[in-house]
Amino acid sequence: MNPLVAEYLARLDAALSGLPPARRIDVVDDIRTHIEAELSGRDDVSDADVRTLLDRIGPPSAIAAAALADDAGSAAEAAFVDGALKPGPRFGGLELAAVLLLVIGGFLYYLGWLVGVVLLWASPAWRIRDKVIGTLVIPGGVAPLFFGVLPIPVAPAFWALIAAPILAASWLVWTANRHRARPELRREYAGAVS
Amino acid sequence: MEPAGTLLTHLRRGTLEFCVLALLRDGEKYAVDLTHELSRDGVLVTSEGTVYPLLSRLRRDGVVATEWRESAAGPPRRYYRLTPSGEAALVTFEEQWRRFSGAVDAVLKGEWTA
């Protein structure tokens, strides 16, 4: 290989050090192939010819800048698509507070449960259907059982009444944000962006 | 005010990749020919080499596919062609680009009225 070419490729490889290794290898291979193709089939290649060719290809710093900008651009786009579909954690502080207050907030003079309902409806993590389930299945959380609002139940019914709010709460934890992370939605959105 | 070079860099971002796809619309092209066409006037790209990072990403994104072929003179040549998803991306871009450039032109000419 022509020493000018070897030196150019070494500088290019160094300039691309900020890229993921696979991308870096791709770009250096592509440019080496390009140079080899351009210089092949010529009888006598002078250093001036090589310099002219390398000038047309451009300085390694320009290629590295293009590669880094392209990489950063795609990464930013991917982050944007992710962020648009999944704002924050799947089950954040708001959701945790909502579920806890719905189940045990009744002990705080029912006010806690009321706050839980407000949080439930304020969170974007649940669909309307889940919010209705959360509101209806836990009327006051488990507290009414202990406050005697409901008649003192016989054993099986008592456990069923304890279990219902807990099951409903588990359902809320399970379904939180599930509808937002559907892969086909993600693809649709990614398609619209790119 | 931004220098003209920086402005061009910003304008290329997001449009250059579709210029590559558009050049492949009528059929496959040899990589070296593709870089020559793109760098013809220095508007679309500053130098031939800056096309390759883009080509490498387009391959990864699956909007282009490549094939190596033996050449009568010289090393094997890599040919690029559009994939179905590349064709779809190009159609979408062209629609949006016509709307966008039409709106910008109208504003620049003072023909933009509410």
Side-chain angles (χ1 to χ4, degrees):
Chain A
M1 186 185 284
N2 182 302
L4 284 175
V5 173
E7 189 260 347
Y8 177 87
L9 290 174
R11 279 196 294 136
L12 177 65
D13 190 53
L16 291 171
S17 62
L19 278 187
R23 289 265 292 153
R24 182 177 175 179
I25 292 167
D26 258 12
V27 174
V28 176
D29 274 357
D30 277 356
I31 301 233
R32 187 187 29 240
T33 308
H34 180 102
I35 294 171
E36 283 167 359
E38 292 274 40
L39 293 179
S40 78
R42 295 209 210 164
D43 295 336
D44 193 23
V45 180
S46 69
D47 279 0
D49 292 338
V50 174
R51 287 208 182 85
T52 308
L53 172 63
L54 296 180
D55 268 358
R56 283 215 331 256
I57 294 171
S61 58
I63 298 168
L68 288 170
D70 194 65
D71 241 42
S74 341
E77 188 178 285
F80 170 70
V81 171
D82 265 11
L85 282 173
K86 276 173 70 181
R90 223 171 68 67
F91 196 81
L94 176 68
E95 287 73 35
L96 181 67
V99 171
L100 279 180
L101 286 172
L102 283 171
V103 179
I104 59 166
F107 292 111
L108 309 168
Y109 307 99
Y110 291 106
L111 202 65
W113 174 76
L114 214 60
V115 173
V117 172
V118 171
L119 294 182
L120 173 72
W121 285 85
S123 167
W126 290 294
R127 293 164 296 183
I128 300 289
R129 191 185 77 185
D130 302 323
K131 292 177 180 184
V132 170
I133 291 173
T135 310
L136 292 184
V137 180
I138 320 178
V142 292
L145 294 172
F146 298 95
F147 285 171
V149 174
L150 296 172
I152 296 299
V154 288
F158 179 81
W159 290 115
L161 283 168
I162 290 274
I166 290 168
L167 281 177
S170 310
W171 170 254
L172 289 179
V173 172
W174 168 252
T175 55
N177 269 326
R178 280 224 180 245
H179 60 294
R180 305 176 137 244
R182 286 210 317 261
E184 65 270 22
L185 248 184
R186 174 174 300 255
R187 273 201 300 279
E188 228 170 79
Y189 199 85
V193 168
S194 58
Chain B
M1 229 19 240
E2 285 188 78
T6 315
L7 186 56
L8 265 184
T9 305
H10 286 180
L11 290 174
R12 285 178 194 128
R13 191 166 299 161
T15 52
L16 182 59
E17 60 187 89
F18 296 101
C19 295
V20 173
L21 300 186
L23 284 176
L24 297 172
R25 177 149 46 192
D26 294 330
E28 62 172 22
K29 281 210 164 89
Y30 172 37
V32 173
D33 292 340
L34 199 52
T35 62
H36 288 173
E37 284 182 44
L38 283 167
S39 53
R40 213 179 43 180
D41 58 4
V43 173
L44 292 178
V45 301
T46 47
S47 63
E48 291 169 9
T50 57
V51 178
Y52 284 105
L54 177 61
L55 290 179
S56 140
R57 178 168 64 79
L58 295 180
R59 293 198 300 264
R60 274 157 204 268
D61 287 353
V63 288
V64 298
T66 66
E67 196 182 328
W68 288 93
R69 295 227 198 93
E70 292 303 325
S71 144
R77 299 174 155 206
R78 190 173 209 169
Y79 284 85
Y80 282 76
R81 63 177 164 78
L82 281 184
T83 63
S85 86
E87 279 170 35
L90 181 57
V91 168
T92 307
F93 173 79
E94 195 165 3
E95 283 166 13
Q96 297 306 312
W97 176 257
R98 302 245 180 264
R99 286 182 61 206
F100 183 76
S101 64
V104 172
D105 284 346
V107 172
L108 291 177
K109 286 184 204 150
E111 292 166 0
W112 187 262
T113 46

